[in-house]
Amino acid sequence: LDHPFAGSRMLRDLQYLRGIRVGRRQIGILMRKMGIHALYAKPNTSAKHPGHRIYPYLLRPMHITQPNQVWAMDITYIPMARGFIYLAVVIDWYTRKVLSLRVSNTLDTVFCLEAVQEAIDHYGTPEIFNTDQGSQFTSAAFTDLMKVNGIRISMDGKGSWRDNVFIERLWQTIKYEEVYLKAYESVSQARASLERYIAFYNTGRPHSRLDRQTPDQVYFNQLPLPRAA
């Protein structure tokens, strides 16, 4: 309990420092008996639908050089004091700016569509929109929204998290700097707290990959003047 982030390897090493010789396997057995498991264990948020079309991954040969060239979207699992919710975000690939977010207690397509529509309403449309192969993103409703807006569809390769690595890094940041420090009591509390953190992430948190600028600074400073205005 003193070190809730420690897994079986670290717990083994901590015991070694105290002079207690115990193997990782034995610690793992004890952890299972005590019901101790990783806080970030999650349901599969990227389940494929066998009847949906899968689109090719378009980003590997590309050099992404400006805002609104590529947007990406993903869903992650957010633990609460009791139960869990899902968080979906749309992010600008070049600037790492979170363009919109939605939370839901069901893993459906509707809250994903709402997040995309909000991003389009506020920031226009990207050239390419990248997702994983989850059924929410391969559904007709989602792909039709892309086509109506003239957006090219890109999807990660099967089981290839590196194809959407910026989203994966965003999840790690949100969870370690926000979610794991809280125990949300309700969906409304979780939504409000996540919105506050994302506002800070966009406007007040320097990003090492952006030369210590914030995502908003890079996004708005590099847009064409009419759109920035």
Side-chain angles (χ1 to χ4, degrees), residues 90-127:
V90 177
I91 186 173
D92 179 71
W93 191 286
Y94 180 71
T95 65
R96 318 294 204 268
K97 176 178 170 60
V98 177
L99 304 172
S100 65
L101 69 94
R102 281 292 188 280
V103 299
S104 174
N105 53 14
T106 59
L107 194 57
D108 58 25
T109 305
V110 173
F111 81 120
C112 298
L113 293 172
E114 291 175 350
V116 175
Q117 190 61 60
E118 179 182 312
I120 290 173
D121 290 344
H122 284 85
Y123 301 104
T125 57
E127 297 174 24

Side-chain angles (χ1 to χ4, degrees), residues 70-188:
V70 176
W71 290 358
M73 185 176 197
D74 198 9
I75 305 169
T76 195
Y77 161 88
I78 301 294
M80 301 199 302
R82 290 178 295 277
F84 60 88
I85 56 172
Y86 299 102
L87 169 66
V89 303
V90 177
I91 186 173
D92 179 71
W93 191 286
Y94 180 71
T95 65
R96 318 294 204 268
K97 176 178 170 60
V98 177
L99 304 172
S100 65
L101 69 94
R102 281 292 188 280
V103 299
S104 174
N105 53 14
T106 59
L107 194 57
D108 58 25
T109 305
V110 173
F111 81 120
C112 298
L113 293 172
E114 291 175 350
V116 175
Q117 190 61 60
E118 179 182 312
I120 290 173
D121 290 344
H122 284 85
Y123 301 104
T125 57
E127 297 174 24
I128 296 175
F129 199 106
N130 190 74
T131 67
D132 62 27
Q133 298 181 15
S135 60
Q136 299 83 8
F137 306 129
T138 57
S139 68
F142 193 92
T143 56
D144 285 350
L145 179 60
M146 300 292 111
K147 294 172 184 176
V148 165
N149 286 280
I151 303 169
R152 297 169 64 197
I153 302 169
S154 171
M155 293 184 179
D156 301 342
K158 182 179 179 181
S160 183
W161 64 269
R162 292 178 181 83
D163 287 348
N164 214 352
V165 65
F166 294 144
I167 286 275
E168 297 297 333
R169 289 174 180 169
L170 175 66
W171 292 150
Q172 184 179 40
T173 299
I174 291 174
K175 290 181 178 181
Y176 278 90
E177 296 186 4
E178 164 66 20
V179 176
Y180 295 159
L181 304 180
K182 309 287 178 67
Y184 306 127
E185 294 289 342
S186 66
V187 175
S188 59

